[in-house]
């Protein structure tokens, strides 16, 4: 077993993906929101790449049975019920509903990684639980960081390091690529207050947009043991 960490781009291709467990991370905020929706009783979450695709899926299922959620540039999409704040995915709103979800970065990465043997949804709020499940599956692990507009994003890298730290606690220091090593070092620095992520591109953008509470929640470790997974284009628990 080994761990590799990547930042997602549309050009990403790995011919070994079919034999790996993938953990997709978009800590700010898509995967955190998906975990929150699953925790609060959503029947299923359907990730889509484009807003039009999300609207079509919701129309086919029926609006009464759906919550249409999504954003572009951090802002709720016009006509959608909610945006991408994990705090909006309440039990009252999503319990017993199908969440149709479209985001700038996170759902792109999830859809793009659908060829993995197992695809788990990871974030800081379920870091230990998703690490445990990945170890149980017994395959090589690819941690895919959604990034920001196809670029490296320190928030996702830190969350990847948090999951790697939990994996190490279960199986010891298994082989890890360079990005995995750096991820783990960044997480340890963040954990020990040697680095502040608020000034990074994505964190600072969300804080400027008024989503400071989201940032704080998204970086709260081990809120839940829920580990959503993707199968046949649908995320369930």
């Amino acid at each position: 077993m080994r761990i590799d960490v990547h930042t997602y781009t549309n050009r990403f291709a790995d011919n070994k993906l079919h034999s790996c467990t993938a953990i997709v991370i978009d800590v700010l905020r898509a995967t955190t929101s998906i975990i929150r929706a699953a925790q609060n009783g959503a029947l299923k979450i359907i990730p889509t790449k484009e807003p039009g695709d999300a609207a079509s899926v919701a129309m086919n299922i029926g609006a009464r049975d759906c919550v249409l959620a999504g954003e572009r540039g951090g802002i709720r999409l016009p006509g959608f019920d909610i945006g991408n704040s994990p705090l909006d995915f309440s039990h009252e709103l999503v319990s017993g509903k199908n969440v149709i979800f479209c985001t700038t970065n996170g759902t792109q990465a999830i859809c793009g990684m659908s060829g993995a043997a197992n695809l788990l949804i990871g974030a800081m709020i379920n870091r230990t639980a998703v690490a445990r499940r990945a170890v149980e599956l017994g395959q090589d692990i690819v941690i895919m960081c959604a990034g920001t507009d196809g670029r490296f994003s320190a928030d996702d890298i830190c969350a990847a390091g948090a999951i790697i730290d939990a994996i190490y606690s279960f199986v010891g220091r298994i082989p890890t690529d360079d990005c995995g090593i750096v991820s783990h070092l960044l997480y340890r620095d963040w954990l020990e207050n040697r680095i502040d992520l608020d000034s990074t591109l994505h964190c600072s953008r969300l804080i400027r947009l008024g989503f400071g509470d989201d940032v704080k929640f998204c970086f709260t470790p081990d809120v839940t043991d829920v580990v959503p997974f993707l199968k046949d284009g649908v995320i369930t628990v």
Side-chain angles (χ1 to χ4, degrees):
M1 182 184 293
R2 63 172 286 115
I3 307 168
D4 292 297
V5 178
H6 299 271
T7 292
Y8 182 74
T9 70
N10 290 331
R11 298 181 300 277
F12 179 82
D14 186 339
N15 58 13
K16 297 180 181 178
L17 203 57
H18 65 277
S19 62
C20 294
T21 292
I23 303 173
V24 176
I25 300 171
D26 184 3
V27 70
L28 294 175
R29 298 166 286 168
T31 57
T32 305
S33 293
I34 288 168
I35 296 161
R36 174 88 167 157
Q39 179 188 13
N40 282 331
L43 286 179
K44 55 188 177 183
I45 301 105
I46 302 175
T48 62
K49 290 185 175 181
E50 299 297 333
D53 298 335
S56 295
V57 172
M59 187 177 298
N60 289 336
I61 294 175
R64 288 188 304 175
D65 297 318
C66 290
V67 174
L68 197 54
E71 55 77 33
R72 281 294 183 266
I75 305 300
R76 177 170 61 90
L77 284 161
F80 278 48
D81 299 309
I82 56 174
N84 188 22
S85 170
L87 304 179
D88 287 343
F89 289 78
S90 65
H91 182 271
E92 292 75 17
L93 182 66
V94 305
S95 180
K97 297 289 186 69
N98 303 295
V99 176
I100 318 301
F101 203 25
C102 180
T103 71
T104 308
N105 303 296
T107 60
Q108 313 293 321
I110 292 168
C111 293
M113 295 293 288
S114 60
N118 297 284
L119 194 155
L120 310 178
I121 306 300
M124 195 71 81
I125 66 168
N126 74 342
R127 72 171 198 104
T128 299
V130 76
R132 180 186 298 111
R133 182 62 185 138
V135 168
E136 288 170 350
L137 289 166
Q139 299 168 314
D140 287 346
I141 298 166
V142 174
I143 301 179
M144 181 55 69
C145 299
T148 302
D149 300 326
R151 293 181 291 171
F152 172 100
S153 194
D155 46 284
D156 287 340
I157 296 296
C158 183
I163 292 170
I164 290 170
D165 192 72
I167 292 171
Y168 287 169
S169 74
F170 293 122
V171 294
R173 287 183 173 264
I174 60 176
T176 307
D177 69 353
D178 287 6
C179 193
I181 293 168
V182 171
S183 299
H184 190 238
L185 290 171
L186 176 63
Y187 167 68
R188 297 302 304 183
D189 279 348
W190 173 81
L191 189 66
E192 296 172 19
N193 297 312
R194 290 193 295 267
I195 191 168
D196 182 2
L197 295 177
D198 285 356
S199 63
T200 59
L201 174 66
H202 200 29
C203 283
S204 61
R205 176 195 293 174
L206 288 173
I207 291 168
R208 285 197 307 272
L209 290 171
F211 294 114
D213 288 344
D214 281 8
V215 172
K216 182 178 179 180
F217 177 78
C218 290
F219 277 97
T220 305
D222 294 321
V223 172
T224 179
D225 287 335
V226 168
V227 183
F229 65 93
L230 180 80
K231 185 175 182 180
D232 299 327
V234 175
I235 297 169
T236 55
V237 178

